[in-house]
Structures are given as C-alpha cells and as structure tokens.
Amino acid sequence: MKFFNKAIIAAATAGVVVSTSVTADVTEASSEKHAKAATQYRQAVFQLVRSNMGPLGGMAKGALPFDESVMEINAVRLEQLADMMGDYLSVDTRKFDVETGAKDKIWDNFSDVETKVMALKTAAQGLQAAVKAGDESAYSGAIGKIGASCKSCHDDYKKD
C-alpha cells in the first residue's frame, strides 16, 4: 500500500509540474522608490514563506507532532507564494541603494532562480499529495524537499 501511495504522489506531482510554470522577465527598477518597494514586497513574501515553513520544520524534526491540517494549509500557501516569487524577485534593484539580502547575481541567471522557485512549488505540491494520500511515512521527506528547495536558492542567491 505504501508503494501504491508513493506512486500516486509521484504521478500527481509529475503531472502538475508539466502543467504549470513560473516565469518572469527581469526588469530594472525605474527609480529609488520602485527599488525600495520591490525590495519590501519580496522581503514580505519571504517572511510569509518563513512563517509557513516554521511549523513544517518543527514537524519534520520531531519537535512538533504531525498535523495534517497545518501541513496541507501551509503547503498550499507555499505553492501560492512560489507563484508570486518570480514577479517579486524579477525587479533588479542593483542600481539603487536598498537594503536587500539578495546577491547581485540573482538577476544575472534568472532562469536558474525560476527553476529553483519551481522546485519549491513542486515540493509544496508533493507535501499536499502526501497529506491527501494519508501517507505518514512520506511526510518528513516531503517537508525535507521543501526545505531543500529553499536552501538551494539561499545557498546561491542570498547574502550571508
């Protein structure tokens, strides 16, 4: 039964990946005001990501009991936030003096950023599928994939 559930989760996730994409073109901030606003918005998105990842990380580490309701809601939110990330990350603010945690190279290889954002979206969908299937053995791994997608982008594009 566990194999069957995992096969369903994999198939559902693959189908969603094929049918969705996150794309945005890089644009330069047009003014200091625009750069500050873009920076604020992307930081707000990441604050929301953090607030939804916190409980999931606690569950994956065993510090909190698995709560399917929280996992499903937070995974849906993370998927929605991933859909927004491309828009908020695509504004190149390098020409202006704004406080940002983004490395300058984020805008030089934006297709890689989009790939990483898609990995977050796919991982969030994978957790949703695991919860819907009731496959408790897949919960930690599904949460781990979300965390790994976040870490991948942080490693390459977030200042220390």
Side-chain angles (χ1 to χ4, degrees):
M1 187 66 168
K2 286 183 184 178
F3 175 77
F4 182 72
N5 283 342
K6 288 180 183 178
I8 290 173
I9 291 167
T13 301
V16 171
V17 170
V18 170
S19 67
T20 61
S21 65
V22 178
T23 59
D25 293 324
V26 173
T27 58
E28 288 188 10
S30 58
S31 66
E32 182 92 16
K33 183 177 180 180
H34 182 211
K36 285 182 180 181
T39 301
Q40 277 185 307
Y41 299 147
R42 72 175 168 248
Q43 289 172 349
V45 168
F46 289 122
Q47 237 353 69
L48 291 170
V49 168
R50 184 178 303 123
S51 75
N52 284 279
M53 274 304 298
L56 297 178
M59 289 178 211
K61 293 174 184 171
L64 297 172
F66 286 119
D67 182 329
E68 287 85 358
S69 174
V70 170
M71 287 189 295
E72 186 169 18
I73 289 168
N74 289 20
V76 167
R77 289 175 180 164
L78 288 167
E79 179 184 0
Q80 293 167 340
L81 290 165
D83 280 337
M84 291 183 249
M85 279 183 192
D87 292 336
Y88 292 111
L89 290 170
S90 66
V91 179
D92 183 345
T93 57
R94 289 181 281 192
K95 288 185 178 180
F96 300 95
D97 184 28
V98 292
E99 286 193 39
T100 179
K103 292 180 181 176
D104 286 350
K105 71 179 186 172
I106 192 170
W107 298 288
D108 293 333
N109 190 13
F110 202 70
S111 64
D112 183 54
V113 174
E114 291 177 312
T115 299
K116 292 174 186 295
V117 168
M118 183 52 73
L120 169 60
K121 181 174 179 166
T122 300
Q125 292 166 338
L127 179 56
Q128 291 172 59
V131 171
K132 285 182 179 143
D135 186 359
E136 291 183 31
S137 67
Y139 293 169
S140 288
I143 293 169
K145 286 180 181 178
I146 294 172
S149 71
C150 293
K151 183 179 181 330
S152 169
C153 204
H154 285 209
D155 287 349
D156 292 341
Y157 300 110
K158 187 175 186 293
K159 294 176 186 173
D160 293 328

